[in-house]
């Protein structure tokens, strides 16, 4: 059996001591988000995650979802847990108060997401999608759609989906075939088949609000001809001001997938047969509207990597303390037992330090990016809003891909720490690797994230987005150039940052001549940017820990561990930057050397 405790101390350290997230309370509309309020909300979220969602994680995996003639049932306990979740107002954290929301920072919602995902990734996905649907409708829907759907998505009684994928159309959304025909009354008739739709049908909520990509009759080919439609499972009825689900709309679930992980999350095939829907945003501008949902979801999927990784790390650590095997050279030999705890072995330490350094560094990366989501939407200075928006645009693919890679690596290491007990089902560890795996695939595979970074984000505004990361790292290194205490951290960071700068210049130059050079380098470049940015955040964390140590009420052991883990990151993980830089410098030649039929 696995156990889970929300990592409140670490989250608070990142939010308050490193990122100074209390400054968000100075922004219009976020006055309530003081550090005290944030801490109180996180305490409650931790309790809900630990006591309501987590006990259903292993049982939900074992039981899975069932399908019977269009009806989908989630595992035992999921409907009650979801009811408790919405009763606590957890679906409305960031929603606008005028639609019944609490108007709290996006950053806070991402932390809540981390706890819920650690506790039960399959169940946490349902409110996650609703959150994305809420924001897409809020940004692009007309007033009538907003008035009908936003209060229901905010209070969680209705849930949301995103319906993009079709049998012939995955990464390439230009291949969408679903059709939308004007009905003459302002609505549309939507027809087509969508596959792999998370929570497309379930027994958790009164009804489901599908956001569907489809083509109008006059649509140009490719992604420029895709529009977004809101298609409810039930047509809404206005009962004297109160909206309720009415007659069934023309959408049915024809099956659910049997799959590797997240068994408690139904992955549905949905057939739309002249279903009634309404346009969200402008005709043929569906990609823009859907990107509001997808960008939010990409950060949330990065958080999934973090959440599953945290659960894996906690359980590996507990096991390493308790399991005894072998003698350590010069080891404890303390109590007459035949073997030392495996945590004393250097190879187990290597794995635990790797997990801890990647996880805590990844957390800083995710929350630093999420903080800028709030700055981008609320800062009074338009230039600061733009700068924050640039940073979020640049780092979204990095958070999504780097953190989901880490989540899977950490789950894999947790199995290794457990030995054979990690491989068998009973301990619950192998579930984490199976659950984490999908996060590298959906919301755009990690390969597609790398292409987005290199193909779109790097070149935008002649490197304008990149400056949001390069300038603060440069300034940090300059500020600490003569600081001998910081040198063990800033030395390796400066070296890796230099490699990143060179690789950026190289890609910019070669891509102009041959775009396939950039696409072949994309994966390595994303990893390099992720490693260096996390390195910079580790240096900041170590300095913040040093500054705090010795202060009133300081937890000396926690802060000392931060400094030591930062040093481990610089010495054992950041050097991977050299390998990625070398692969980028080698170019596309050997990647593409074999003809397709020579494999
Ligand atoms: C459990 C689960 C839940 C899901 N939930 C949803 C959901 O709620 N809504 C939804 O719409 N979809 C959902 N999906 C679908 C998911 O988003 C897609 O599977 C994903 O986007 C990849 O598409 P694909 O499977 O068609 O793979 P493909 O697009 O066929 O890709 C196959 C491989 O080719 C690579 N590739 C593709 N194009 C390129 C390119 N141009 N350059 C380089 N490499 C490329 C990919 O990176 C990948 O490695 C879900 C899938 C699963 C399994």
């Amino acid at each position: 059996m696995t156990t889970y405790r929300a990592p409140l101390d670490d989250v608070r350290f990142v939010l308050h001591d490193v990122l100074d997230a209390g400054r968000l309370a100075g922004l219009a509309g976020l006055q309530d988000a003081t550090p005290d309020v944030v801490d109180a909300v996180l305490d409650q979220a931790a309790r809900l995650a630990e006591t309501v969602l987590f006990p259903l994680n292993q049982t939900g995996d074992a039981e899975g979802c069932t399908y019977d003639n269009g009806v989908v049932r989630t595992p035992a306990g999921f409907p009650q847990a979801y009811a408790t979740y919405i009763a606590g107002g957890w679906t409305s954290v960031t929603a606008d108060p005028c639609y019944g929301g609490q108007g709290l920072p996006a950053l806070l919602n991402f932390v809540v997401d981390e706890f819920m995902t650690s506790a039960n990734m399959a169940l946490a996905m349902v409110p996650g999608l609703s959150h994305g649907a809420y924001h897409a409708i809020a940004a692009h829907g007309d007033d009538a759609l907003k008035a009908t759907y936003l209060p229901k998505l905010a209070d969680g009684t209705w849930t949301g989906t995103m319906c993009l994928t079709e049998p012939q159309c995955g990464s390439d959304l230009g291949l969408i075939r679903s059709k939308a025909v004007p009905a003459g009354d302002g609505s549309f008739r939507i027809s087509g088949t969508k596959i792999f739709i998370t929570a497309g049908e379930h027994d958790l909520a009164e009804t489901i609000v599908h956001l569907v990509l489809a083509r109008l009759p006059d649509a140009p080919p490719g992604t420029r001809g895709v529009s977004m439609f809101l298609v409810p499972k039930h047509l809404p009825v206005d009962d004297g001001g109160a909206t309720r689900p009415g007659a069934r709309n023309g959408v049915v679930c024809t099956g659910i997938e049997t799959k590797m992980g997240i068994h408690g999350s139904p992955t549905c095939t949905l057939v739309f047969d002249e279903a009634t829907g309404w346009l969200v945003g402008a005709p043929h501008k569906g990609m823009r509207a859907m990107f509001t949902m997808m960008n939010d979801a990409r950060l949330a999927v990065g958080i999934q990597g973090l959440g599953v990784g945290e659960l894996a790390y906690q359980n590996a650590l507990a096991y390493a303390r308790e399991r005894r095997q072998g003698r350590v050279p010069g080891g404890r030999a303390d109590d007459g037992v035949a073997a030392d705890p495996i945590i004393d072995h250097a190879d187990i330490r290597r794995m635990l330090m790797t997990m801890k350094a990647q996880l805590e560094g990844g957390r800083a990366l995710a929350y630093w990016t999420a903080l800028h989501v709030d700055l981008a939407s609320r800062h009074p200075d338009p230039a600061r809003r733009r700068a924050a928006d640039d940073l979020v645009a640049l780092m979204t693919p990095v958070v999504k891909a780097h953190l989901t890679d880490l989540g899977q690596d950490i789950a894999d290491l947790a199995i290794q720490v457990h030995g054979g007990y990690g491989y068998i089902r009973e301990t619950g560890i192998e579930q984490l690797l199976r659950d984490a795996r999908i996060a590298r695939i959906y919301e755009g595979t990690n390969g597609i994230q790398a292409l987005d970074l290199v193909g779109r984000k790097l070149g935008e505004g002649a490197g304008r987005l990149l400056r949001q990361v390069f300038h603060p790292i440069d300034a940090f290194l300059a500020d600490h150039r003569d600081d001998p205490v910081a040198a063990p951290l800033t030395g390796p960071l400066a070296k890796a940052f230099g490699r990143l700068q060179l690789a950026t210049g190289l890609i910019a130059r070669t891509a102009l001549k041959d775009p396939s050079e950039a696409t072949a380098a994309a994966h390595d470049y994303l990893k390099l940017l992720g490693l260096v940015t996390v390195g910079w955040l580790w240096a900041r964390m170590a300095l913040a820990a040093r500054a705090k140590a010795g202060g009133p009420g300081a937890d000396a052991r926690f802060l000392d561990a931060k400094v030591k883990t930062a040093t481990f990151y610089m010495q054992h993980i950041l050097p991977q930057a050299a390998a990625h830089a070398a692969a980028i410098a080698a170019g596309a030649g050997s990647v593409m050397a074999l003809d397709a039929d020579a494999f």
Side-chain angles (χ1 to χ4, degrees), residues 8 12 38-48 50 90 115:
L8 284 166
R12 287 187 178 131
V38 166
D39 282 351
V41 172
L42 292 181
D43 278 337
Q44 290 173 34
R47 230 184 347 265
L48 179 77
E50 291 164 2
W90 295 102
F115 295 173

Side-chain angles (χ1 to χ4, degrees), residues 562-585:
K562 279 284 170 206
V563 177
K564 288 175 174 155
T565 312
T567 307
F568 176 85
Y569 186 90
M570 299 302 175
Q571 294 179 352
H572 290 265
I573 295 177
L574 191 56
Q576 293 168 16
H580 291 295
I584 294 167

Side-chain angles (χ1 to χ4, degrees), residues 162 164-165 170-171 196-198 267 438 441-443 445 448 451:
M162 54 192 294
L164 288 67
T165 308
S171 303
F196 296 168
I197 305 306
T198 299
T267 306
I438 184 59
I441 296 173
Y442 56 24
E443 287 310 332
T445 63
I448 296 294
L451 290 180

Side-chain angles (χ1 to χ4, degrees), residues 125 129 161-173 194-200 257 259 261-262 265-268 438 441-448 451 519:
M125 286 170 74
L129 281 155
T161 70
M162 54 192 294
C163 298
L164 288 67
T165 308
E166 299 179 4
Q168 78 295 345
C169 154
S171 303
D172 184 355
L173 295 173
K194 296 287 180 181
I195 63 165
F196 296 168
I197 305 306
T198 299
E257 303 296 338
K259 58 193 191 294
I262 52 166
S265 168
T267 306
C268 304
I438 184 59
I441 296 173
Y442 56 24
E443 287 310 332
T445 63
N446 287 3
I448 296 294
L451 290 180
T519 56

Side-chain angles (χ1 to χ4, degrees), residues 405-540:
D405 285 352
L406 298 186
Q408 188 188 313
D409 291 350
I410 292 169
D412 186 59
L413 285 173
I415 292 179
Q416 200 66 17
V417 168
H418 279 78
Y421 291 95
Y423 193 74
I424 61 168
R425 185 151 293 189
E426 189 187 336
T427 49
I429 300 300
E430 55 82 43
Q431 179 194 342
L432 309 186
L433 184 60
R434 287 188 288 104
D435 285 354
R437 186 62 185 87
I438 184 59
R440 298 178 65 212
I441 296 173
Y442 56 24
E443 287 310 332
T445 63
N446 287 3
I448 296 294
Q449 302 302 319
L451 290 180
D452 177 42
L453 175 67
V454 167
R456 254 191 250 155
K457 308 287 172 66
L458 275 198
E460 207 168 315
R464 193 187 75 233
L465 275 55
L466 207 53
R467 286 197 281 279
Q468 298 309 320
V469 177
F470 279 21
H471 281 181
I473 298 181
D474 234 356
F476 177 87
L477 288 170
D479 285 350
H480 296 283
R481 186 169 295 133
D482 302 321
D483 177 355
V485 179
L489 305 170
T490 51
L493 177 62
K495 213 166 169 180
F497 183 47
R499 294 186 199 284
L500 174 62
Q501 288 171 308
L502 282 176
T504 307
L506 185 69
I507 290 179
R509 282 193 307 279
T510 52
L512 283 178
K513 288 188 221 129
D514 178 2
S516 70
E517 285 292 339
T519 56
H523 162 80
D524 288 294
Y525 188 80
L526 185 144
K527 299 307 287 181
L528 181 56
L529 181 57
L531 281 164
V532 172
T533 313
V534 171
W536 167 62
L537 288 162
W538 259 121
R540 286 180 57 187

Side-chain angles (χ1 to χ4, degrees), residues 166-208:
E166 299 179 4
Q168 78 295 345
C169 154
S171 303
D172 184 355
L173 295 173
L175 301 176
I176 279 176
R177 286 193 195 139
S178 292
K179 289 198 179 333
V181 178
D185 60 357
S187 71
F188 295 80
R189 299 282 171 268
I190 317 293
S191 301
T193 298
K194 296 287 180 181
I195 63 165
F196 296 168
I197 305 306
T198 299
E201 181 59 59
H202 58 74
D203 56 356
L204 303 176
E206 290 172 5
T207 193
I208 302 172

